[in-house]
């Protein structure tokens, strides 16, 4: 598989700090700082962003900052916004072709307004939940972050972005109704960006799931799928693990 140029670049889009017990059932309340990543994937001439970090509203005081501040200490400067991070790696935000959203939580979807010309790829179940006022509220989605008029591709389960098997959405529902992860087949290995199906490396190694989420049993089944991919040799990158994130190179290819 050397036919296409393919790489992954992690983008640092701020931090969230909260009690560990919010992220791991049974953990103590000591604060833990989570990185908020977005991921740039370059596939030949195409540019894909997997998740978008947080909304610019959270760089300063305001109603949304107050609401998020009830649960999290937000670390977000203007330099951490996804458009700034894209420019850091010489990508004009308006040149992003596809935005794959793992799910509609504010730390994954908040930066969507900053990539106005991209086509959005999201699981149908997630988008439907996001359009339903009751389900959106129950899942803490903020409709103003994603109901922006982008072209939207609704995926039903596995979705191969380019038809060559190299970059594929993998449904991992449970954390939210239509959560998805992203599998990238590099020349000599497979990387799976887990997003919130597994917050930490420890989650993949049998650690506890968070106490909250859409469907705990469904989440556990999705996590089993990621564990089996890892057992089969894939590198599964958890969504919010500080040590894992800090150890990544600036470009994976
Ligand atoms: Zn989430």
């Amino acid at each position: 598989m050397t036919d296409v140029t393919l790489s992954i670049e992690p983008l640092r889009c701020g931090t969230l700090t909260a009690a560990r017990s919010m992220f791991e059932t049974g953990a103590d309340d000591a604060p833990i700082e989570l990185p908020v990543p977005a991921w740039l994937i370059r596939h030949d001439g195409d540019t894909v962003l997997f998740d978008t970090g947080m909304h610019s509203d959270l760089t300063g005081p305001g109603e949304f900052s107050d609401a998020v501040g009830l649960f999290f200490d937000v670390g977000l400067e203007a330099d951490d916004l996804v458009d700034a991070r894209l420019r850091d790696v010489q990508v004009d935000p308006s040149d992003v072709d596809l935005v794959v959203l793992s799910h509609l939580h504010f730390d994954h979807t908040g930066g969507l307004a900053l990539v106005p010309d991209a086509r959005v790829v999201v699981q149908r179940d997630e988008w439907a939940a996001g359009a339903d006022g009751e389900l959106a509220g129950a899942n803490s989605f903020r409709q103003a972050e994603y109901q922006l008029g982008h072209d939207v591709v609704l995926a039903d389960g596995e979705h191969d972005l380019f038809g060559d098997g190299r970059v594929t959405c993998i449904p991992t529902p449970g954390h939210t109704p239509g959560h998805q992860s992203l599998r990238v087949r590099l020349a000599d290995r497979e990387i799976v960006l887990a997003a919130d199906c597994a917050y930490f490396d420890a989650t993949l190694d049998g650690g506890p799931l968070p106490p909250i989420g859409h469907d705990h049993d469904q989440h556990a089944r999705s996590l089993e799928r990621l564990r089996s991919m890892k057992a089969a040799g894939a590198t599964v990158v958890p969504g919010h693990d500080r040590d894992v994130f800090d150890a990544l190179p600036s470009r994976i290819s």
Side-chain angles (χ1 to χ4, degrees):
M1 292 203 296
T2 55
D3 48 331
V4 300
T5 310
L6 186 59
S7 64
I8 305 171
E9 289 154 79
L11 306 179
R12 297 173 173 276
C13 295
T15 60
L16 290 172
T17 301
R20 183 181 282 275
S21 56
M22 275 189 65
F23 309 112
E24 288 186 315
T25 301
D28 62 28
D29 290 334
I32 177 173
E33 184 187 272
L34 311 189
V36 174
W39 307 89
L40 176 68
I41 294 114
R42 303 190 207 230
H43 175 281
D44 277 347
D46 291 301
T47 306
V48 180
L49 192 59
F50 181 54
D51 286 338
T52 65
M54 295 185 274
H55 197 279
S56 58
D57 281 357
L58 293 175
T59 57
E63 198 177 315
F64 187 50
S65 292
D66 289 346
V68 172
L70 295 174
F71 302 97
F72 302 100
D73 183 7
V74 177
L76 186 70
E77 305 291 332
D79 288 352
D80 300 319
L81 296 172
V82 77
D83 58 341
R85 290 301 185 211
L86 286 167
R87 289 191 191 98
D88 286 346
V89 291
Q90 286 75 53
V91 172
D92 184 326
S94 63
D95 289 340
V96 173
D97 298 296
L98 296 174
V99 170
V100 178
L101 294 175
S102 64
H103 64 303
L104 298 178
H105 278 158
F106 75 97
D107 54 324
H108 297 258
T109 294
L112 187 57
L114 302 171
V115 275
D117 300 322
R119 176 171 294 165
V120 173
V121 181
V122 63
Q123 289 288 320
R124 185 181 301 276
D125 288 347
E126 189 74 0
W127 198 248
D132 178 310
E134 198 171 316
L135 271 176
N139 283 285
S140 305
F141 299 159
R142 184 184 180 219
Q143 290 181 326
E145 290 186 333
Y146 53 85
Q147 292 186 339
L148 299 170
H150 290 79
D151 284 344
V152 177
V153 175
L154 297 176
D156 292 300
E158 279 198 25
H159 180 82
D160 182 347
L161 292 185
F162 299 106
D164 60 0
R166 304 300 288 270
V167 188
T168 305
C169 302
I170 303 292
T172 44
H175 174 69
T176 59
H179 187 281
Q180 61 184 350
S181 303
L182 192 72
R183 186 187 69 206
V184 181
R185 285 192 166 143
L186 299 173
D188 60 357
R189 63 201 164 120
E190 190 168 292
I191 308 281
V192 180
L193 303 173
D196 285 3
C197 187
Y199 285 146
F200 309 118
D201 224 11
T203 324
L204 290 161
D205 291 336
L209 289 175
I212 54 169
H214 169 67
D215 184 326
H216 196 270
D217 292 341
Q218 191 181 41
H219 188 164
R221 288 194 295 276
S222 293
L223 184 59
E224 274 313 309
R225 180 168 189 194
L226 294 186
R227 284 172 176 157
S228 64
M229 293 171 92
K230 182 178 177 183
T235 300
V236 181
V237 181
H240 290 289
D241 190 308
R242 164 61 68 201
D243 292 340
V244 171
F245 194 59
D246 285 352
L248 291 172
S250 58
R251 185 185 189 95
I252 308 163
S253 60

